[in-house]
């Protein structure tokens, strides 16, 4: 009982003090608070009753699960090749260029096609960490009612909650980051070059138009939430993925 109480208080303190901090700051806050709480003697007063402990276990367990799952998801997609090497979330070429990829390769522009696809995925990978602060903030401010609905909901209930509550904010942060990254990794140059070449190809002659930044932003956001959903389902269904005592307690049944 005392071990669980300390874990619950750890999460409460960490989330309350994390503000806009990232995952490393959140972990450090947990460690420091833990050292202080462990030094305190056990108490039998009613400051944390069975009823409040049950409520705390639910909301803080959910918060901890979302911290763990979100950290894993963002770490995965922001790594080099996180988008490009994952068929589930790879950012595709804009629709018109995707249809023209075959003819472009036939006319000797395979390298440009590959470089363009790599560059737009690299831009998505660079933007992914921008979601951290927003996700942490939403986790910290989650109400007990929201936590209960998520806990009792489907395997991706938390991901749906994030998409509704945080999706527009994350997209707003992604867009300028992706726009900058597209220029720095050469995606814009490749896009313009391929668009020009496609318009000049015999039997193709098709104009390539569209907002490249919006296209990559939308695909990057879809990939983020797909990975969040996968991590959420893993923690709910796979005991091995419950990496803390609180997570094991929350989904022990």
């Amino acid at each position: 009982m005392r071990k669980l109480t300390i874990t619950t208080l750890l999460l409460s303190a960490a989330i309350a003090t994390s503000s806009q901090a990232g995952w490393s700051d959140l972990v450090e806050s947990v460690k420091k608070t833990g050292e202080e709480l462990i030094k305190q003697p056990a108490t039998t007063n009613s400051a944390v009753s069975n009823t409040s402990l049950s409520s705390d276990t639910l909301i803080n367990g959910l918060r901890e699960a979302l911290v763990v799952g979100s950290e894993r998801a963002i770490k995965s997609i922001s790594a080099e090749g996180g988008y490009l090497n994952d068929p589930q979330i790879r950012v595709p070429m804009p629709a018109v260029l995707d249809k023209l990829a075959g003819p472009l390769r036939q006319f000797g522009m395979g390298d440009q096609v590959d470089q363009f696809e790599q560059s737009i995925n690299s831009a998505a990978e660079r933007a992914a960490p921008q979601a951290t602060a927003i996700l942490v903030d939403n986790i910290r401010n989650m109400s007990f009612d929201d936590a209960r609905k998520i806990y009792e909901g489907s395997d991706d209930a938390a991901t749906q909650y994030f998409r509704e509550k945080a999706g527009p904010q994350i997209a707003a942060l992604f867009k300028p980051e992706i726009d900058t990254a597209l220029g720095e990794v050469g995606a814009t140059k490749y896009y313009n070059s391929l668009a020009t070449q496609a318009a000049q190809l015999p039997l193709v002659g098709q104009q390539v138009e569209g907002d490249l930044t919006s296209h990559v932003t939308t695909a990057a956001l879809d990939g983020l939430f797909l990975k969040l959903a996968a991590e959420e389902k893993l923690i709910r269904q796979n005991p091995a993925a419950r990496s803390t005592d609180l997570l094991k307690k929350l989904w022990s049944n």
Side-chain angles (χ1 to χ4, degrees):
M1 178 75 72
R2 183 171 181 265
K3 183 177 181 182
L4 181 58
T5 303
I6 289 176
T7 308
T8 302
L9 291 173
L10 283 173
L11 256 294
S12 299
I15 292 168
T17 58
S18 63
S19 184
Q20 295 298 321
W23 309 120
S24 60
D25 292 331
L26 191 60
V27 171
E28 186 62 27
S29 179
V30 169
K31 289 180 179 178
K32 289 182 179 179
T33 309
E35 290 173 358
E36 295 175 1
L37 287 174
I38 290 171
K39 294 176 182 177
Q40 297 177 5
T43 178
T44 57
N45 64 31
S46 59
V48 183
S49 66
N50 288 337
T51 301
S52 65
L53 178 60
S54 177
S55 298
D56 286 346
T57 300
L58 174 60
I59 192 166
N60 289 312
L62 245 300
R63 284 170 172 168
E64 183 167 331
L66 296 179
V67 166
V68 170
S70 300
E71 180 182 16
R72 289 174 183 167
I74 292 177
K75 183 178 180 180
S76 171
I77 64 177
S78 62
E80 184 176 354
Y83 276 92
L84 181 66
N85 297 332
D86 189 332
Q88 286 189 313
I89 64 171
R90 182 185 295 123
V91 178
M93 294 197 298
V96 174
L97 268 184
D98 193 40
K99 292 178 181 178
L100 296 177
L104 286 167
R105 291 183 185 280
Q106 290 177 1
F107 283 92
M109 284 172 281
D111 286 345
Q112 290 99 313
V113 171
D114 292 339
Q115 289 169 339
F116 174 66
E117 188 171 19
Q118 182 174 352
S119 66
I120 60 177
N121 279 275
S122 178
E125 291 155 13
R126 287 180 51 172
Q130 297 297 316
T132 298
I134 293 176
L135 292 177
V136 169
D137 190 54
N138 275 265
I139 292 168
R140 188 183 71 248
N141 292 317
M142 181 181 294
S143 69
F144 176 75
D145 287 341
D146 286 336
R148 180 169 291 282
K149 289 176 184 177
I150 290 171
Y151 178 69
E152 296 174 349
S154 61
D155 285 343
D156 67 342
T159 303
Q160 293 179 32
Y161 171 86
F162 276 147
R163 184 138 209 170
E164 178 183 353
K165 298 286 187 180
Q169 293 174 279
I170 295 174
L173 277 182
F174 269 22
K175 198 162 187 178
E177 181 70 16
I178 285 175
D179 190 52
T180 299
L182 287 173
E184 292 179 351
V185 301
T188 305
K189 178 186 69 175
Y190 296 131
Y191 180 68
N192 293 334
S193 175
L194 287 172
T196 300
Q197 295 293 335
Q200 296 174 354
L201 287 180
L203 305 179
V204 177
Q206 189 167 352
Q207 293 294 323
V208 177
E209 298 177 350
D211 184 344
L212 182 59
T213 300
S214 294
H215 168 77
V216 177
T217 298
T218 299
L221 205 62
D222 289 343
L224 167 63
F225 287 120
L226 186 66
K227 287 302 180 183
L228 281 175
E231 291 293 343
E232 178 184 358
K233 183 176 181 179
L234 189 67
I235 290 173
R236 286 178 183 268
Q237 296 187 354
N238 184 358
R242 300 166 197 161
S243 54
T244 71
D245 289 340
L246 193 53
L247 296 186
K248 293 171 185 175
K249 173 69 175 179
L250 188 63
W251 278 290
S252 59
N253 297 323

